[in-house]
Amino acid sequence: MHDQRRWLHRIRRKDTFIRPVVPELPEVETTRRGIEPHVVGRRIARLLVHDHRLRWPVDPELDALLAGSAIRRAGRRAKYLLIETEAGTLILHLGMSGSLRVLPASTPRIAHDHVDIELDSGQTLRFNDPRRFGSLLFTSTDPALHPLLKKLAPEPLEPEFDGDYLFRITRRRAVAIKQLIMNSQLVVGVGNIYASEALFRARIRPRRAARSLKREECMKLARAIKATLAMAVKVGGTTLRDYVGADGNPGYFRQKLYVYERAGQPCRVCAKPVRQFTQGQRSTYWCANCQK
Ligand SMILES: [Zn+2]
């Protein structure tokens, strides 16, 4: 943790286009939107792997496979970025501490810069990852069929995730509703912050048995999850403890949190103190007065 903070401190001063540690879905979507205008329509000039020891070893043939290919699309599925080219798709995961920056290709590398995807524009898409839990894989076929992607649950921001879906998957499950919505086999991308916030917005207690939710509550909760994630994406996914924006100000999203990390502080709706407890080894925050 200490190392990570030092790294963040260092990288903050050097670059403006950074992402915070432990990227969640909104941070990954923000990264996708950030790189999209720089990469789509460009050709990959060369792909340089400075250190192949990521979560899975990076294929040394990537440059041979991709050099000269045009990038068609910058997509995302769950927390995987999908860089679609004429030759196939790069599947990139930021892991625990990864970040992508668009820089002039001549920019000197700093520690933990592991991969450069150099573009014909003279810019490079540079992947930095101090902890190396990130990954860079390639598929020449439909990425939706890749083993990492093909069994993923619905995207919470897509129409297929809705109150009916939530009602269906909660019926026979006694697990606490907060743990259910954080289960990536049932819905992808709802991290701890978003789960606490969405349950507050829907006025549902985090410890409620999933199957005890009424249809109307499932509708409310699905809407709350979408609204919470959409707002985080809108403000740039600036959700994390360590995040400080390029201007040195704390992320805006944090100022709008209802309960997350606000234990003991007055509820923004009823002014009673926000409570905290540990659930599945994660901190949960909630208001005993507002949530039923
Ligand atoms: Zn309250």
Side-chain angles (χ1 to χ4, degrees):
M1 194 43 144
H2 184 64
D3 273 359
Q4 217 170 68
R5 278 166 197 265
R6 274 216 317 254
W7 163 73
L8 260 181
H9 183 69
R10 196 169 65 234
I11 203 166
R12 247 178 227 155
R13 284 178 317 180
K14 279 186 168 284
D15 296 295
T16 51
F17 188 58
I18 64 157
R19 297 271 59 86
V21 283
V22 194
E24 292 204 39
L25 189 141
E27 286 78 19
V28 179
E29 176 60 19
T30 301
T31 297
R32 189 196 69 74
R33 292 179 185 192
I35 66 170
E36 188 174 37
H38 299 280
V39 302
V40 173
R42 292 292 171 192
R43 283 183 190 280
I44 295 177
R46 55 178 184 163
L47 196 150
L48 299 172
V49 180
H50 311 295
D51 190 339
H52 69 278
R53 296 168 302 163
L54 297 181
R55 179 166 183 185
W56 296 290
V58 180
D59 182 351
E61 298 299 311
L62 282 186
D63 178 56
L65 286 163
L66 287 162
S69 294
I71 297 174
R72 289 176 175 154
R73 194 169 157 263
R76 178 185 62 76
R77 177 71 173 102
K79 297 205 298 189
Y80 294 97
L81 286 165
L82 305 175
I83 301 172
E84 253 178 63
T85 79
E86 294 168 328
T89 302
L90 284 166
I91 302 174
L92 194 149
H93 197 288
L94 300 176
M96 305 286 286
S97 58
S99 62
L100 273 177
R101 288 161 297 152
V102 178
L103 302 164
S106 58
T107 309
R109 281 193 287 133
I110 59 172
H112 315 296
D113 281 341
H114 303 312
V115 177
D116 271 297
I117 303 171
E118 292 188 2
L119 307 169
D120 63 358
S121 59
Q123 289 187 305
T124 186
L125 189 58
R126 186 167 287 176
F127 180 60
N128 182 291
D129 187 4
R131 297 180 66 183
R132 294 196 311 224
F133 283 106
S135 57
L136 181 65
L137 300 165
F138 175 79
T139 178
S140 56
T141 60
D142 182 356
L145 304 175
H146 191 276
L148 286 173
L149 274 66
K150 75 176 176 194
K151 286 185 183 156
L152 287 173
E155 289 282 326
L157 290 170
E158 296 295 325
E160 57 184 319
F161 175 81
D162 61 10
D164 288 332
Y165 173 78
L166 204 51
F167 186 70
R168 214 162 52 238
I169 63 171
T170 48
R171 288 313 81 197
R172 289 162 135 196
R173 292 189 160 95
V175 66
I177 185 61
K178 180 174 178 245
Q179 279 163 295
L180 182 140
I181 59 176
M182 289 181 65
N183 179 346
S184 61
Q185 294 179 342
L186 298 172
V187 48
V188 299
V190 182
N192 197 35
I193 301 174
Y194 306 109
S196 284
E197 290 295 302
L199 285 163
F200 178 84
R201 282 174 176 241
R203 303 292 188 263
I204 295 167
R205 293 187 179 221
R207 263 187 285 226
R208 286 264 304 273
R211 65 186 176 203
S212 77
L213 268 65
K214 299 183 174 65
R215 183 178 282 274
E216 183 49 35
E217 290 176 312
C218 290
M219 299 294 165
K220 265 178 150 172
L221 182 54
R223 284 197 298 270
I225 289 170
K226 286 173 187 283
T228 306
L229 290 170
M231 189 175 80
V233 169
K234 199 173 154 201
V235 299
T238 54
T239 52
L240 290 137
R241 192 193 313 266
D242 282 332
Y243 184 84
V244 175
D247 53 3
N249 291 320
Y252 291 113
F253 188 80
R254 291 197 61 76
Q255 297 168 17
K256 294 179 182 169
L257 294 175
Y258 285 108
V259 289
Y260 188 78
E261 289 196 335
R262 297 194 63 246
Q265 296 177 45
C267 170
R268 298 200 201 276
V269 172
C270 74
K272 296 244 163 61
V274 170
R275 298 189 187 185
Q276 174 188 9
F277 67 97
T278 302
Q279 191 177 22
Q281 293 154 359
R282 309 295 299 273
S283 269
T284 293
Y285 301 84
W286 66 300
C287 174
N289 190 43
C290 291
Q291 291 170 261
K292 306 294 175 200

